Amino acid sequence: MSSFFSIPGAQKKRKRDNDGPANRRSARPRPAAKAQPAPRKRVERAERDNDDEISSGSDAESGSEPAASDADADASASDDDDDRDETAAQKRLRLASQYLSRVREEVEATGWDAEQIDKDMIAARLEDDVAESKGKVFRHVVSDIHLDSRPTMFRDNTHTVTSVAICSPFVYLVTKDSQLIKYRLQPPPNEQYKQTTRKKPKRQAPPRRQPQKIASVKGRHKRAKDKNYKGHVGQILCVAASDDGKFIATGGDDKRIVVWDSNLKPLRVFTHHRDAVTGLVFRRNSHQMYSCSKDRTIRVWNCDILAFVEALFGHADSALDVDALALERLVSVGARDRTVRLWKVADETQLVFRASSGTGDKKRQIDQGVHPNSLAATGSLDRVAYIDENYFLTGSDNGCISLWTLSKKKPLDTIVRAHGLENALAPTVASSEENPSPNVVPPPQPRPITSLRALPYSDLILSGSTDGFICVWKFDEKNKKLEHIGILGQPSTTTGIVNTISTDEMDIIDEEEEHADTTTTIAPAATEKPYQIKGVVNDIAIISRGKAGDNETFSVVCAVGKEHRLGRWPSDIKGAKNGAVVFELRKKQSSKAANGAEKASNAG
């Protein structure tokens, strides 16, 4: 059976007689055919032969329009062929050129001068984007912020505040009396009273600092046996919020995890844990959530579908804290098993890091006047915080803050007694005798690390303890060490650290150079002491507000209570209160901004 596809190509070709112009047919301009995904070779050969014949007989009469359409089709086809034939290096070059063009358009859209659009700015932008995508430290903010921030305390009629979470501009607090409270942070002072007219500005009122209470919910202990109750029936110990603020999760000693929406409406209650839930964290830019519990397990959740994903096993004791960043991995601490475990969820593997004793060079410290019984070894790892994807921190009950990396099983640097020693007991408290001897008083012990937080992908680190001070540390990426910078609320005239943390009480250990002279040199404190929070600092949350630059501020919110979040250990500070404290850290003005402000003040 003969058909179009079975006839040979030579017989399909149409013959023309070129005897005269009268017998020559004028060919219509053939529109460009649409590219088909997978045409057959035999059809393409037939169409190509026909096109050759038509074009050869009608080029002189059809004009330039058919030629232009054919040229466009050929150009588009050649572009498609080039895209398919380009190598990986050529593709990277093409994408880089497109990225640079987008960056230039963004910079030009801001209205800046052409002098500011140079290669240095584009190179810095590229370095920041690459470092952020790879999970490396790319922001150095410690040297650019003021520590003399005026703190503001806000509280409600609640018990001890155990945890805090921030999703700008909202703050979420949880307490031991089963309350979840939502606050709104006040905008920076320079954005509260904006001049909207051209008239001479009037004298402005002082900026508002007190956060505004938005909503609150409270659990009911009497409904502990009600399985359908969507709420907490015990103490709430931890809280976490997603980056977009769509989900808020809370966990408590009632073995429950409750997922709420932004209006604090309960969405789902999970009861998979067999003991108290001690930590929650959301993966950055995602709705994947991780939880840790005293049942020694780590569990993975998907809040998009409100479902349980999997459980991770490995800890030999209670898992007390957990942290995560952008990659699908998390880090947790196991209390008295003294291990830090980094879980790679996608690979279903884990890395185990074992803590050292944390006592340092005993002989040198005894020579400095430290009592031998005050050199407590690490008993429990209570806190963990990510710096970036390669470095993380841990805090223990003997006051040690350790710096870790994925490439080593031992800490790179350890700060011993980061918050000093506890106050010595009175002889009447240490003994039941009427006239006790001072020898019965036990030596003071190091203050435990009750809270630890780092600004993600930066060198800013904050720690809290039972002394009520928020210590600021700097991560030196070059030397792989931690440096003490100061204390939040510290007056600008004060240099060094308060008298309660002296050189004899704080020491820094480098595991590689264990006997090297690594003791920090701390200048004597001035008469003015930094701000002391009245209570135990149970948790710290920090977030960057505003665009990167001179107007950028950092909001630090601390959860404060009369007791420790996991027990009834009281604070030794008189007048301790339950609530939260917020610090607004502003950046130091650059030389150009300072000169501009000075000129404006002189002109006024």
Side-chain angles (χ1 to χ4, degrees), residues 262-312:
S262 58
N263 297 322
L264 302 188
K265 178 182 178 181
L267 301 177
R268 182 72 184 273
V269 178
F270 297 111
T271 58
H272 295 68
H273 281 292
R274 299 182 179 181
D275 207 335
V277 181
T278 55
L280 290 169
V281 65
F282 275 92
R283 180 182 164 196
R284 288 174 64 88
N285 302 322
S286 173
H287 292 156
Q288 190 175 26
M289 184 179 65
Y290 309 110
S291 65
C292 62
S293 171
K294 288 185 178 181
D295 62 1
R296 302 175 293 179
T297 64
I298 309 294
R299 295 185 182 268
V300 185
W301 314 85
N302 189 345
C303 289
D304 285 326
I305 57 176
L306 298 176
F308 166 71
V309 179
E310 63 176 323
L312 308 176

Side-chain angles (χ1 to χ4, degrees), residues 307-346:
F308 166 71
V309 179
E310 63 176 323
L312 308 176
F313 300 90
H315 280 295
D317 198 13
S318 302
L320 296 184
D321 199 10
V322 64
D323 199 10
L325 288 179
L327 297 183
E328 197 172 358
R329 59 177 62 174
L330 65 145
V331 61
S332 61
V333 288
R336 296 199 174 275
D337 67 358
R338 297 191 301 175
T339 62
V340 190
R341 295 178 184 265
L342 187 138
W343 311 83
K344 298 181 180 179
V345 180

Side-chain angles (χ1 to χ4, degrees), residues 384 467 508:
V384 65
D467 58 351
I508 295 182

Side-chain angles (χ1 to χ4, degrees), residues 209-480:
R209 300 180 181 274
Q210 191 78 10
Q212 179 185 1
K213 183 178 179 180
I214 303 298
S216 65
V217 292
K218 188 174 182 179
R220 299 180 64 180
H221 293 242
K222 296 182 179 179
R223 302 189 64 177
K225 297 182 180 180
D226 188 359
K227 296 182 179 180
N228 297 325
Y229 176 63
K230 291 186 177 182
H232 282 283
V233 294
Q235 299 179 359
I236 305 179
L237 302 179
C238 52
V239 61
S242 59
D243 290 341
D244 56 359
K246 185 177 180 180
F247 297 105
I248 296 93
T250 56
D253 63 353
D254 54 0
K255 311 175 188 178
R256 291 189 174 198
I257 296 177
V258 183
V259 181
W260 316 76
D261 63 359
S262 58
N263 297 322
L264 302 188
K265 178 182 178 181
L267 301 177
R268 182 72 184 273
V269 178
F270 297 111
T271 58
H272 295 68
H273 281 292
R274 299 182 179 181
D275 207 335
V277 181
T278 55
L280 290 169
V281 65
F282 275 92
R283 180 182 164 196
R284 288 174 64 88
N285 302 322
S286 173
H287 292 156
Q288 190 175 26
M289 184 179 65
Y290 309 110
S291 65
C292 62
S293 171
K294 288 185 178 181
D295 62 1
R296 302 175 293 179
T297 64
I298 309 294
R299 295 185 182 268
V300 185
W301 314 85
N302 189 345
C303 289
D304 285 326
I305 57 176
L306 298 176
F308 166 71
V309 179
E310 63 176 323
L312 308 176
F313 300 90
H315 280 295
D317 198 13
S318 302
L320 296 184
D321 199 10
V322 64
D323 199 10
L325 288 179
L327 297 183
E328 197 172 358
R329 59 177 62 174
L330 65 145
V331 61
S332 61
V333 288
R336 296 199 174 275
D337 67 358
R338 297 191 301 175
T339 62
V340 190
R341 295 178 184 265
L342 187 138
W343 311 83
K344 298 181 180 179
V345 180
D347 300 337
E348 297 183 354
T349 59
Q350 58 177 296
L351 300 177
V352 182
F353 305 86
R354 302 191 181 276
S356 59
S357 61
T359 56
D361 189 353
K362 293 185 178 181
K363 183 178 180 180
R364 186 182 61 180
Q365 297 181 58
I366 292 173
D367 294 341
Q368 294 175 354
V370 181
H371 196 279
N373 292 336
S374 297
L375 303 176
T378 301
S380 172
L381 293 180
D382 298 337
R383 284 298 189 178
V384 65
Y386 252 128
I387 298 178
D388 60 8
E389 303 294 353
N390 296 322
Y391 298 96
F392 56 90
L393 302 160
T394 57
S396 59
D397 61 347
N398 66 336
C400 290
I401 299 178
S402 299
L403 173 66
W404 303 78
T405 182
L406 300 184
S407 58
K408 291 192 65 176
K409 291 294 184 178
K410 293 183 179 180
L412 298 175
D413 192 17
T414 299
I415 301 176
V416 180
R417 296 182 298 282
H419 285 259
L421 299 174
E422 296 178 346
N423 299 328
L425 297 176
T428 55
V429 177
S431 176
S432 60
E433 297 180 1
E434 294 182 358
N435 298 317
S437 172
N439 297 330
V440 301
V441 178
Q445 297 299 309
R447 297 181 184 273
I449 303 300
T450 58
S451 56
L452 187 64
R453 190 67 59 193
L455 181 65
Y457 306 111
S458 75
D459 58 349
L460 177 59
I461 300 168
L462 304 175
S463 65
S465 184
T466 58
D467 58 351
F469 295 108
I470 306 298
C471 290
V472 183
W473 310 89
K474 178 183 178 181
F475 170 50
D476 188 355
E477 187 181 10
K478 182 178 180 181
N479 298 323
K480 305 296 187 294

Side-chain angles (χ1 to χ4, degrees), residues 59 61 77 101 132 173 188 201 213 239 261 284 329 359 379 388 393 419 461 476 493-494 503 519 536 539 542 551:
D59 286 342
E61 298 178 2
S101 62
E132 184 177 5
L173 303 178
K213 183 178 179 180
V239 61
D261 63 359
R284 288 174 64 88
R329 59 177 62 174
T359 56
D388 60 8
L393 302 160
H419 285 259
I461 300 168
D476 188 355
T493 57
T494 304
T503 308
T519 306
V536 180
D539 197 10
I542 181 172
N551 295 328

Side-chain angles (χ1 to χ4, degrees), residues 99-111:
Y99 179 82
L100 290 176
S101 62
R102 287 198 305 268
V103 172
R104 291 193 184 95
E105 292 177 359
E106 292 178 3
V107 174
E108 292 174 357
T110 56

